[in-house]
């Protein structure tokens, strides 16, 4: 298969996934818990729906924790309202407010540095938006 066809198929699969992921907006909000566990992610408006699928599927299986996010600079007011409703008003940090110090700029380091700050007082689980938790989490 040539590169153009592969790209087209990938794009179609992505659009189909996003159409299905939209249904997450009709689900009940997560009962975020202040129990010392934080589920942390860096997200932007492009991955809002996949992130909600990842976050809600993890929380359903984990049964604990609250959410904290690093805004990559693209979250809109509407995105923040959706996140507040579905995830119990997660703490949202702005990437522009993270001082990378001697580390390079560019997202990865800001995410890791924010995670390191959070872990001082919490057990932090980093969650990527391209995951879905389907089974038990005994560990």
């Amino acid at each position: 298969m040539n590169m153009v066809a592969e790209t087209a198929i990938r794009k179609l699969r992505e659009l189909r996934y996003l159409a299905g992921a939209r249904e997450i907006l009709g689900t009940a909000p997560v009962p975020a818990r202040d129990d010392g566990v934080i589920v942390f992610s860096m997200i932007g408006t492009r991955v809002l729906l996949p992130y909600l699928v990842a976050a809600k599927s993890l929380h359903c299986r984990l049964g604990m924790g609250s959410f904290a996010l690093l805004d990559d600079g693209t979250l809109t007011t509407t995105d923040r309202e959706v996140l507040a409703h579905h995830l119990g008003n997660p703490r949202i940090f702005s990437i522009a407010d993270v001082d990378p110090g001697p580390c390079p700029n560019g997202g990865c380091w800001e995410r890791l540095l924010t995670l390191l700050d959070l872990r001082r007082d919490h057990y932090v689980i980093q969650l990527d938006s391209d995951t879905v938790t389907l089974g038990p989490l005994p560990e």
Side-chain angles (χ1 to χ4, degrees):
M1 190 178 311
N2 69 33
M3 188 67 122
V4 173
E6 288 176 15
T7 302
I9 289 170
R10 184 183 56 75
K11 218 33 167 158
L12 250 104
R13 287 181 178 150
E14 182 180 333
L15 290 171
R16 188 170 50 182
Y17 172 77
L18 289 174
R22 189 165 253 333
E23 292 181 23
I24 198 73
L25 297 173
T27 63
V30 166
R33 295 174 173 89
D34 185 14
D35 55 13
V37 175
I38 290 183
V39 177
F40 175 71
S41 305
M42 183 170 91
I43 71 163
T45 197
R46 188 180 66 78
V47 297
L48 179 67
L49 292 175
Y51 172 72
L52 284 174
V53 171
K56 286 186 161 192
S57 68
L58 175 71
H59 196 275
C60 177
R61 294 297 184 160
L62 192 60
M64 60 177 56
S66 61
F67 294 89
L69 303 165
L70 181 62
D71 174 2
D72 72 0
T74 64
L75 289 178
T76 66
T77 301
T78 302
D79 294 338
R80 289 170 179 265
E81 290 168 356
V82 167
L83 291 163
H85 171 73
H86 283 276
L87 302 180
N89 292 309
R91 190 167 171 196
I92 301 177
F93 302 91
S94 172
I95 196 168
D97 294 336
V98 178
D99 177 11
C103 300
N105 288 320
C108 176
W109 288 101
E110 291 87 348
R111 177 178 48 84
L112 292 173
L113 292 167
T114 304
L115 187 150
L116 286 173
D117 283 344
L118 289 170
R119 66 108 184 119
R120 286 188 179 124
D121 300 313
H122 301 87
Y123 183 86
V124 180
I125 299 169
Q126 184 186 304
L127 176 67
D128 289 334
S129 62
D130 62 351
T131 63
V132 178
T133 306
L134 299 174
L137 299 171
E139 63 278 352

